[in-house]
Amino acid sequence: MTTSGRSATRRKAPHVLAHAPFRRLWTAMGVCSLGDWLNIIAITAFAAYLTRSSGYQAQSFAIGGVFVVKMLPAIVLGPLAGAFADRFDRRLTMFCADLLRFVFVLSIPLVGSYQWVIVATLLVECVNLFWVPAKDATVPNLVPKDRLEEANQLNLLVTYGIAPVAAALFAVLSVVVETLGKAVPGMLWEPAHLALVVNAFAYLVSAFLIFTLKSIPKDHTTTVATPSVLRQIIDGWRFVGAERVVRGLVIGMLGAFAAGGAVIGVAKVYVVELGGGDPAYGTVFAAVFVGMALGIFFGPRLLRELSRRRLFGLAIVTAGVVLAATALIHNLPIVVMLVVVLGACAGIAWIIGYTLIGLEVEDHLRGRTFAFLQSLARVTLLLVVAVAPAIAGLFGKHELSAGPDIVYHFDGTNLVLVLGALLAIAVGVLALRHMDDRREVPIGSDLIAALRGERYVPESADQSQGVFIAFEGGEGSGKTTQSRLTAIWLRDQGFDVVQTREPGSTKVGMRLRAILLDAAHQGLSARSETLLYAADRAEHVEKVIRPALERGAMVICDRYVDSSLAYQGAGRELDQQDVARVNTWATGGLVPDLTVLIDTPPSVGLARLASPADRIEREPLEFHERVRREFRALAAAAPDRYLVVDGQQTQEQISLIIQDRLRELLPDPVPQETEAITGTMPAIRD
């Protein structure tokens, strides 16, 4: 007998890399990405080498100049390059771009002057601007539409995942050149020379792969103008400024970018000051991305019980503390280890930030929101990598003496890293204040409980013997039906079940419900509405829910605190922290053991309702869209407490999914099968 809502096994579609044209383009992207990352490391190392005899300040300014010319074209010429990719043969564009990059990069070690480094770097970055949009516009033409998301994930993997490989390759090339230098007297090449040659030939290999790719269409034309970076920033900020949580996420991510830019801007000089050469520089560069990979894959898994919003802010604060330690500890091996931890914190913040933004932003706005974030990140990085080396150079070198044998060196790179650390800590604290969804819980206690794999429950919340299950969802989502069916199913298992709802499950609540839902009370203010719901909830918890839990009953509640966070917080656009604080006080901190979110698009749910609608149902569609976004964000922030079910499935399918999850909460022995899908028939018993 079937006991789950899982669909029958279907034939697995072929992997996106099974499409030969896309596989060839993806390979070219991987080779180019290797060249791009190797170029960043090699160019900065070469600039430091060429100015090695000019002093500490000159080296700092030289590296800063390289970063400026690498970032500037993307801001100035980006829209032009995007328009070019939509008007000309993309295959020819990418092929010519690769050949030009090969020539320009190969010329850098051959000419061997800092002035040409700047000119060639500028030319390479200008050419890059034409290659990237041509590539991005080509991908949808090479894969089926239903595999485009998978293709984009692979593109991101090869774009960013190749960075540690490039850093490791640079370290190996550095060791090879240093070994040859000792074995072959008179050899004048530096590690950066060989790295730039390998970098150039990577572009040549990519050119060959693109040339042999015959499947790129040539009949595309468009007259749609690509907005400027400045316009993207202005349009994006209008949306971000109106969404509190998204605003906190963007501030946090940009702060992390700024702190990371400070590290990038002074890394080469700092490693030299610690007594390391090019192999050490490559190792530090790789350590950042190894740490990011570890943070992305393992960070959220290690702290499953910690709120995602809270983990986001804590990760940035921790990154700041680690960066401060990196600045003050003058030991290269320890610095490498700290950089891994720093990268891990950045990876945690990055993956959580992108995930929460994806949940908070509707699909038709998501693209421009991410474009806004990326554009603003470019500007932030440009400013920081330009200013950081300048600050380091102007500050110079200093020695702090605490005695004849105790001398502490503190130079400009230390200062920049300390400033970056302070910025990261401040931004992390600001992000926490902006979006912390568990203010009533001490951060230390919450973190310790999460490290133990537990969710911290405030002492004010009495430890009850029963199980508290709340059902949430928008209007017409089907949550009321599912809460009723769940109560029936649990009673059939022999449990003491209390089925209740909000508002209106007490005598006082019935009067409040009449006020809150009566369409005649359309003029009720948002704050009054919030307080009335909280008053109903306080009475409900004290008179119904807590007594039932204390006697060991199963409490099934149709709506609870999260409805106020969604409807009054997001829907009425009140301060989320104020709404949370009022409801925490009203309920004494009582939190459901499980919250079932029946996620249904508002357009679908509202169409299910019969008229006349109550006061909440009469709200415009935009109101209900905000409510749905907040429900989904709350679920993402506490995934282990939430079960999110697609409300467009059949009632039977939804019921089975809920029953499967409830079996994890119920005391043993629990029947593994029921006689009927809806749970209305007696269960099989031993």
Side-chain angles (χ1 to χ4, degrees):
M1 185 177 294
T2 302
T3 59
S4 72
R6 300 181 184 90
S7 60
T9 303
R10 293 177 292 182
R11 183 180 177 182
K12 188 176 181 180
H15 195 275
V16 68
L17 288 177
H19 300 273
F22 174 72
R23 184 170 64 248
R24 185 174 291 272
L25 177 63
W26 187 74
T27 304
M29 290 168 55
V31 174
C32 273
S33 183
L34 177 65
D36 292 339
W37 287 110
L38 192 59
N39 182 265
I40 293 174
I41 307 171
I43 286 290
T44 51
F46 197 52
Y49 165 73
L50 292 174
T51 56
R52 65 192 183 283
S53 61
S54 301
Y56 177 86
Q57 289 184 331
Q59 275 192 319
S60 298
F61 286 124
I63 294 173
V66 168
F67 281 118
V68 170
V69 297
K70 284 188 78 68
M71 298 292 235
L72 191 59
I75 296 175
V76 177
L77 300 177
L80 174 63
F84 188 94
D86 285 335
R87 289 174 172 80
F88 295 93
D89 187 328
R90 290 167 184 161
R91 173 172 165 266
L92 183 61
T93 298
M94 289 188 285
F95 174 72
C96 293
D98 280 333
L99 286 182
L100 288 173
R101 291 194 290 185
F102 164 72
V103 172
F104 292 146
V105 173
L106 189 61
S107 70
I108 293 174
L110 297 178
V111 175
S113 71
Y114 178 73
Q115 291 76 11
W116 182 247
V117 168
I118 294 297
V119 173
T121 300
L122 182 65
L123 294 174
V124 168
E125 293 307 314
C126 289
V127 172
N128 280 345
L129 291 178
F130 293 89
W131 195 93
V132 172
K135 176 264 296 180
D136 289 339
T138 298
V139 171
N141 296 320
L142 301 183
V143 298
K145 290 184 178 180
D146 61 338
R147 310 314 297 272
L148 184 57
E149 182 177 1
E150 184 181 353
N152 288 334
Q153 290 173 342
L154 285 173
N155 294 347
L156 287 174
L157 173 66
V158 81
T159 299
Y160 296 103
I162 208 76
V165 177
L169 177 60
F170 180 78
V172 170
L173 293 175
S174 301
V175 172
V176 169
V177 171
E178 290 183 359
T179 303
L180 290 175
K182 296 176 181 178
V184 182
M187 181 176 176
L188 300 178
W189 267 32
E190 285 289 308
H193 286 86
L194 182 57
L196 287 168
V197 172
V198 174
N199 173 201
F201 276 93
Y203 292 136
L204 187 62
V205 172
S206 175
F208 170 77
L209 292 171
I210 295 297
F211 183 77
T212 58
L213 183 58
K214 306 294 185 180
S215 304
I216 301 178
K218 301 180 181 180
D219 57 350
H220 62 278
T221 58
T222 182
T223 57
V224 178
T226 303
S228 67
V229 171
L230 180 60
R231 173 52 57 187
Q232 290 180 16
I233 292 174
I234 293 174
D235 291 344
W237 190 253
R238 288 175 180 170
F239 169 74
V240 171
E243 298 289 336
R244 181 181 178 86
V245 174
V246 177
R247 187 166 65 245
L249 288 167
V250 170
I251 290 173
M253 295 175 77
L254 290 180
F257 265 114
V263 176
I264 294 172
V266 301
K268 172 58 182 174
V269 176
Y270 189 49
V271 169
V272 171
E273 290 299 311
L274 293 177
D278 286 329
Y281 177 42
T283 302
V284 170
F285 198 93
V288 174
F289 290 94
V290 169
M292 286 189 67
L294 293 173
I296 289 171
F297 286 105
F298 296 110
R301 289 175 173 81
L302 294 175
L303 297 169
R304 291 179 180 274
E305 297 297 331
L306 192 64
S307 159
R308 300 299 92 178
R309 296 184 186 183
R310 178 166 273 189
L311 180 57
F312 175 79
L314 287 175
I316 297 175
V317 171
T318 304
V321 174
V322 173
L323 183 56
T326 304
L328 300 175
I329 297 176
H330 295 174
N331 182 285
L332 188 56
I334 295 178
V335 165
V336 172
M337 290 187 289
L338 288 173
V339 167
V340 172
V341 178
L342 177 65
C345 294
I348 292 172
W350 183 259
I351 190 66
I352 292 175
Y354 256 70
T355 301
L356 290 180
I357 287 178
L359 289 168
E360 288 287 332
V361 181
E362 285 299 301
D363 185 64
H364 68 283
L365 294 173
R366 196 172 298 137
R368 74 184 76 173
T369 302
F370 282 122
F372 156 74
L373 178 60
Q374 292 166 0
S375 299
L376 198 56
R378 286 179 185 174
V379 175
T380 302
L381 280 174
L382 172 64
L383 292 175
V384 173
V385 299
V387 171
I391 293 175
L394 291 173
F395 187 79
K397 294 184 176 182
H398 297 275
E399 292 184 352
L400 304 176
S401 178
D405 299 324
I406 303 176
V407 178
Y408 183 81
H409 298 276
F410 190 86
D411 54 37
T413 56
N414 300 116
L415 176 65
V416 168
L417 294 177
V418 169
L419 292 176
L422 294 175
L423 174 63
I425 293 172
V427 168
V429 171
L430 182 62
L432 274 174
R433 290 173 59 87
H434 225 61
M435 50 190 290
D436 189 0
D437 55 348
R438 301 196 69 193
R439 282 177 176 257
E440 73 282 0
V441 177
I443 291 180
S445 301
D446 203 12
L447 183 58
I448 292 172
L451 289 171
R452 293 198 301 260
E454 303 171 357
R455 184 174 180 82
Y456 180 80
V457 179
E459 293 182 1
S460 58
D462 296 336
Q463 299 297 318
S464 58
Q465 298 177 350
V467 177
F468 183 17
I469 303 165
F471 280 76
E472 300 283 10
E475 305 304 313
S477 62
K479 61 173 180 51
T480 300
T481 298
Q482 291 301 325
S483 65
R484 177 178 57 81
L485 293 175
T486 299
I488 293 172
W489 179 74
L490 288 171
R491 289 192 184 101
D492 286 339
Q493 314 309 311
F495 291 104
D496 177 10
V497 179
V498 173
Q499 183 183 355
T500 185
R501 69 173 183 176
E502 291 187 354
S505 286
T506 63
K507 291 183 179 180
V508 172
M510 291 174 64
R511 296 184 179 183
L512 292 174
R513 182 181 180 88
I515 297 173
L516 287 165
L517 299 183
D518 191 341
H521 295 91
Q522 282 295 121
L524 188 65
S525 72
R527 291 178 183 273
S528 297
E529 181 181 272
T530 302
L531 292 171
L532 289 175
Y533 273 113
D536 168 80
R537 190 162 293 126
E539 188 77 358
H540 187 206
V541 168
E542 183 175 344
K543 299 292 179 61
V544 178
I545 297 177
R546 278 198 193 279
L549 292 174
E550 289 170 359
R551 74 168 187 264
M554 308 287 295
V555 177
I556 307 297
C557 187
D558 183 354
R559 294 205 183 282
Y560 192 56
V561 172
D562 290 348
S563 279
S564 283
L565 295 174
Y567 279 85
Q568 283 72 56
R572 302 298 188 200
E573 298 181 300
L574 295 177
D575 188 293
Q576 289 280 11
Q577 304 304 328
D578 290 343
V579 177
R581 193 178 301 113
V582 168
N583 280 277
T584 299
W585 178 77
T587 63
L590 181 64
V591 177
D593 297 288
L594 176 68
T595 299
V596 178
L597 172 61
I598 310 298
D599 182 36
T600 305
S603 57
V604 175
L606 292 172
R608 297 172 176 174
L609 301 176
S611 57
D614 65 32
R615 197 175 65 88
I616 300 297
E617 293 168 0
R618 289 175 182 266
E619 293 295 336
L621 183 61
E622 292 78 9
F623 172 90
H624 296 285
E625 292 285 1
R626 292 196 299 272
V627 169
R628 185 195 183 198
R629 285 200 299 271
E630 182 61 21
F631 272 133
R632 295 173 65 178
L634 290 168
D640 289 334
R641 181 174 68 84
Y642 259 90
L643 170 64
V644 182
V645 185
D646 182 0
Q648 297 186 79
Q649 299 179 84
T650 65
Q651 286 186 7
E652 292 81 3
Q653 289 175 322
I654 296 173
S655 293
L656 287 170
I657 293 171
I658 295 170
Q659 291 166 17
D660 282 348
R661 178 62 181 273
L662 287 181
R663 288 190 176 98
E664 301 174 8
L665 296 177
L666 302 179
D668 291 329
V670 179
Q672 297 303 309
E673 294 183 325
T674 57
E675 286 292 337
I677 289 177
T678 60
T680 58
M681 298 293 291
I684 297 175
R685 299 177 186 273
D686 294 335

